[in-house]
Amino acid sequence: MMREGVLGRALERGLVCVGVHDLRDFSTDRHRTVDDVSYGGGPGMVLKADPFFGALSAIRRQHGVPDAVVLLSPQGRRFCHEEATKLSRLSHVALLCGRYEGVDERVRERLATDEISIGDYVLSGGELPAAVVVDSVARLVPGVVGDQRSVAQDSFVRGLLDHPHFTRPAEVESESVPEVLVSGHHGEIRRWRKQEALKRTLERRPDLLEGAALDDEEREILRELRNDGTD
Ligand code: 9D3
């Protein structure tokens, strides 16, 4: 997955580097066991601490001490763009993935510097969340995304959802492109996009508006949208 697209090109160009380590390679028995029953009983297996300590030692030996060791877990704080930005400024981040019912608490206590969840839904392990973190962080590394304007315009940077996008042909299934976009009036186009972005954000993600950095025009449009019908 990571070898495709923007991240794939970044890996090829050496702008970012991702290493994957199999915990089983750091197990200490001939069955390559990485899990065990839970102290205190209960269903489900728990990932043993030892393979994590072994893996981290190998990583430190090969690449030096990481600047952050992030445990992906449902108990972590919610991953967000700001978090991605912080991680993108570090040169070496280790991501620890859990499986089964959980990870031995000593991993959290002794190895992790951060604990992150990607959202309130249950996955079967931390590997997909780790890939999500890698993708979002890599995009923020200078040079990875060709046009830095795309990065700057991203919804969660601005605190607004995107406006609608259209490309050719002008008509699809009898649906035509909004007139304003083909009018050539750049001022009107800018205002329309702001209005659509604000409309969507107000409807779908009003929580984002709390932290949004709005300009004067956007604040005025928002006032209009909120008053719609009342004056
Ligand atoms: C029964 C309690 N569950 C915890 C909420 C058990 C459990 C569910 C899923 C234990 C581990 C997992 C595996 N998930 C992850 O490791 C995980 C995860 C996720 O499931 N959702 C969102 N983000 C993440 S980051 C790591």
Side-chain angles (χ1 to χ4, degrees):
M1 236 164 60
M2 295 189 200
R3 285 193 273 270
E4 300 291 326
V6 166
L7 181 52
R9 225 165 313 121
L11 290 165
E12 269 170 18
R13 291 160 63 206
L15 294 172
V16 291
C17 170
V18 180
V20 181
H21 309 267
D22 183 350
L23 282 179
R24 288 198 191 280
D25 295 341
F26 304 96
S27 130
T28 48
D29 69 320
R30 64 187 185 88
H31 302 292
R32 293 168 47 92
T33 308
V34 292
D35 62 334
D36 205 338
V37 294
S38 182
Y39 271 117
M45 301 297 273
V46 175
L47 268 172
K48 293 161 72 64
D50 259 358
F52 282 100
F53 284 86
L56 241 305
S57 294
I59 288 169
R60 279 193 220 100
R61 249 189 337 269
Q62 290 169 34
H63 306 284
V65 179
D67 301 310
V69 177
V70 180
L71 175 64
L72 285 311
S73 113
Q75 281 76 49
R77 62 174 181 273
R78 176 86 62 84
F79 187 59
C80 64
H81 193 77
E82 192 189 342
E83 197 96 31
T85 305
K86 283 185 191 159
L87 291 177
S88 75
R89 296 191 173 124
L90 304 179
S91 45
H92 181 196
V93 177
L95 302 174
L96 308 182
C97 305
R99 276 259 145 179
Y100 313 114
E101 267 314 289
V103 175
D104 188 298
E105 189 66 16
R106 272 89 39 112
V107 170
R108 185 175 281 112
E109 288 171 354
R110 301 300 291 272
L111 292 177
T113 60
D114 297 87
E115 190 172 356
I116 283 175
S117 156
I118 62 164
D120 297 340
Y121 38 83
V122 181
L123 299 166
S124 40
E127 296 86 351
L128 285 171
V132 166
V133 170
V134 167
D135 190 280
S136 66
V137 170
R139 302 181 74 261
L140 298 171
V141 171
V144 168
V145 172
D147 192 339
Q148 281 296 297
R149 285 178 306 174
S150 311
V151 174
Q153 292 224 337
D154 270 337
S155 317
F156 304 112
V157 180
R158 300 208 42 239
L160 288 183
L161 298 182
D162 237 347
H163 55 75
H165 296 271
F166 296 87
T167 186
R168 285 175 287 190
E171 196 171 300
V172 175
E173 302 257 304
S174 315
E175 293 281 355
S176 43
V177 174
E179 203 56 47
V180 57
L181 296 180
V182 293
S183 68
H185 293 130
H186 298 292
E188 279 178 39
I189 293 172
R190 196 162 42 241
R191 191 182 163 88
W192 180 85
R193 285 181 168 166
K194 282 179 176 175
Q195 186 175 320
E196 294 303 309
L198 285 162
K199 244 191 238 170
R200 282 183 168 185
T201 311
L202 199 55
E203 250 172 48
R204 305 178 193 178
R205 293 294 307 279
D207 58 299
L208 287 180
L209 289 170
E210 313 282 327
L214 303 180
D215 61 29
D216 291 342
E217 192 177 27
E218 285 165 335
R219 272 198 298 276
E220 186 198 308
I221 297 170
L222 190 57
R223 225 172 6 250
E224 283 169 19
L225 289 172
R226 282 182 163 143
N227 283 338
D228 229 14
T230 63
D231 72 21

